[in-house]
Amino acid sequence: MKNKMSPLVSPRFFSEKEVAKHCTKESCWVLLGTRVYDVTGFLRMHPGGEALILRGSGRDISREIEGPPHRHSENARRWMEQYYIGELDRDSTDEDTETLRPRKKIPESTTEEEEEEETSAINKCSKVDEETDLVDWRKPLGWQVGYLGEKYDTWVHQPVDRPIRLFGNDFFEANTKTSWYMVPIVWMPLVIYLSWYCYTLLAQERTRLFITSDYSILVHKYSFPFIFMFGMFLWSFIEYCIHRFVFHMRPPAHNYYLIMLHFLLHGQHHKSPFDGSRLVFPPSLAAIVIGAFYLILRQTLPEGLGTSLFVGGLCGYVVYDMIHYYLHYGSPRKGSYLYGLKAYHVKHHFEHQRAGFGITTTFWDYPFNTVIPEQTF
């Protein structure tokens, strides 16, 4: 899976002075030994924040990669290779400021425009070695992954930085993608309406919770905020269970359909964790699960109480999806709660896929012994 330049393309060489110039948010380069990496596109994604990378820009960061405070995982090192752009030429002089551009061995009849187009195509496809990868990235992956069998689990947890096409049909493919803002647009009006509805229903003082057939407790309207918050707390447990036992189930190697289902539900997110169009759940599919939870609560509890719990849980789901998106694309302030969550979640993606299942909170990881261990040296 490690990215390599095409054998037909010579590497680009850069002087130390030239590498040192690229130390801003607009153009950030780093070195690993003599290998040069353009990590500009990774600044916002870095779990430690932009500042940590910018402090090492233009120089060798091998020591930071090895740690302390954090020794980067094999997946993180593999991910790094996607930003490789060339080699350091230590023999170049300070006047050597021009980059040696990669040139493909082409027939003399090929024009400069054609050469530039071919070089551009190589750069676009260089994030995955299409010749050695286990799937054909030129075709939809949804129908291919089931054939990987016992190789699937290893393959799906080797992340790449490129979008994934799941289906050949444009309509089906479009319905697997969702912009982050669609989640609050669709669900928050329902949260607001149901909150008002529940409060007015409880205000009628006719909602009672029966402990026994002869003893019941009046559910007062002023208890609504507490029921609402308890619903959010319950959602955090449901979130943990779904993430651990559904999204991270290990499909049997011989079962084509379970492997495909796992990839569609969550595997594609681990394969391409920074695909912004698939970081939140499509409302059309989420509605099925949300509707099921609503029916269960309405059948088991009085209407005012069950709906109050449901609306709290629904709000918790919206918060979960928004936090999940932010953990991948946001830049929280160092030392903040979200900063710790971002580092924790990135470790889950790159290093500890069988632990760290909490998204909005790490609370449930403790009683179920799935806490990502602190790294020691």
Side-chain angles (χ1 to χ4, degrees), residues 252-281:
H254 63 275
N255 196 312
Y256 171 90
Y257 294 102
L258 279 181
I259 292 176
M260 181 180 69
L261 177 64
H262 176 268
F263 187 72
L264 296 178
L265 283 176
H266 196 62
Q268 48 82 18
H269 173 55
H270 269 261
K271 189 63 181 176
S272 181
F274 293 104
D275 182 353
S277 64
R278 290 196 175 99
L279 286 177
V280 296
F281 217 66

Side-chain angles (χ1 to χ4, degrees), residues 101-323:
R101 300 190 177 276
R103 292 198 173 270
K104 188 178 180 183
K105 295 179 181 179
I106 53 175
E108 293 181 1
S109 58
T110 304
T111 63
E112 291 184 5
E113 290 79 16
E114 290 173 333
E115 180 184 352
E116 289 178 2
E117 288 178 2
E118 289 185 8
T119 301
S120 176
I122 291 170
N123 290 336
K124 288 179 181 177
C125 299
S126 64
K127 295 175 183 177
V128 169
D129 191 336
E130 296 186 354
E131 295 181 2
T132 61
D133 202 85
L134 298 177
V135 297
D136 186 349
W137 286 85
R138 295 165 294 184
K139 300 176 181 178
L141 300 190
W143 311 115
Q144 298 185 59
V145 293
Y147 295 111
L148 295 181
E150 60 185 15
K151 297 179 181 178
Y152 170 74
D153 192 67
T154 300
W155 175 85
V156 81
H157 290 125
Q158 293 177 344
V160 297
D161 187 11
R162 64 174 291 167
I164 288 176
R165 187 173 183 92
L166 296 176
F167 301 109
N169 183 282
D170 290 338
F171 175 77
F172 288 144
E173 179 70 9
N175 279 277
T176 67
K177 298 181 178 182
T178 308
S179 299
W180 68 268
Y181 51 81
M182 289 304 298
V183 173
I185 286 177
V186 170
W187 298 117
M188 284 311 295
L190 184 60
V191 169
I192 294 170
Y193 168 74
L194 287 179
S195 296
W196 170 82
Y197 174 77
C198 290
Y199 184 80
T200 55
L201 186 62
L202 295 178
Q204 297 174 13
E205 298 189 348
R206 291 190 303 214
T207 301
R208 306 190 72 87
L209 177 63
F210 282 85
I211 308 301
T212 66
S213 58
D214 299 324
Y215 180 73
S216 63
I217 300 174
L218 175 66
V219 182
H220 201 276
K221 64 180 180 180
Y222 295 123
S223 65
F224 172 74
F226 302 100
I227 301 172
F228 184 95
M229 294 303 296
F230 186 64
M232 292 189 70
F233 178 73
L234 284 180
W235 162 256
S236 69
F237 176 67
I238 295 170
E239 162 203 315
Y240 173 88
C241 291
I242 292 175
H243 192 191
R244 179 180 180 181
F245 299 111
V246 179
F247 289 169
H248 278 273
M249 67 172 180
R250 284 196 174 187
H254 63 275
N255 196 312
Y256 171 90
Y257 294 102
L258 279 181
I259 292 176
M260 181 180 69
L261 177 64
H262 176 268
F263 187 72
L264 296 178
L265 283 176
H266 196 62
Q268 48 82 18
H269 173 55
H270 269 261
K271 189 63 181 176
S272 181
F274 293 104
D275 182 353
S277 64
R278 290 196 175 99
L279 286 177
V280 296
F281 217 66
S284 57
L285 298 178
I288 300 173
V289 180
I290 290 171
F293 279 117
Y294 175 75
L295 291 175
I296 292 171
L297 289 171
R298 283 286 285 108
Q299 292 297 318
T300 55
L301 295 170
E303 181 183 6
L305 179 59
T307 308
S308 297
L309 277 174
F310 169 77
V311 71
L314 181 58
C315 185
Y317 161 70
V318 174
V319 172
Y320 151 78
D321 251 354
M322 295 300 93
I323 286 181

Side-chain angles (χ1 to χ4, degrees), residues 239-240 243 327 341 344-345 356-363 365 370:
E239 162 203 315
Y240 173 88
H243 192 191
L327 296 186
L341 277 184
Y344 192 78
H345 190 59
F357 299 109
I359 305 297
T360 56
T361 175
T362 62
F363 175 82
D365 281 314
T370 55

Side-chain angles (χ1 to χ4, degrees), residues 46 64-67 70-74 76-77 351 375:
H46 186 241
E64 286 83 353
I65 292 292
E66 290 298 326
H70 174 65
R71 181 182 291 112
H72 290 66
S73 66
E74 288 302 314
R77 297 163 196 262
E351 197 168 359
Q375 193 170 48

Side-chain angles (χ1 to χ4, degrees), residues 29-33 39 42 46-73 76-77 80 334 351 375 377:
W29 292 7
V30 295
L31 292 166
L32 277 181
V39 294
F42 184 66
H46 186 241
E50 298 176 354
L52 285 181
I53 298 184
L54 287 172
R55 279 206 296 267
S57 60
R59 63 177 180 82
D60 191 349
I61 60 168
S62 299
R63 188 171 181 179
E64 286 83 353
I65 292 292
E66 290 298 326
H70 174 65
R71 181 182 291 112
H72 290 66
S73 66
R77 297 163 196 262
M80 182 81 168
K334 188 174 182 179
E351 197 168 359
Q375 193 170 48
F377 289 85

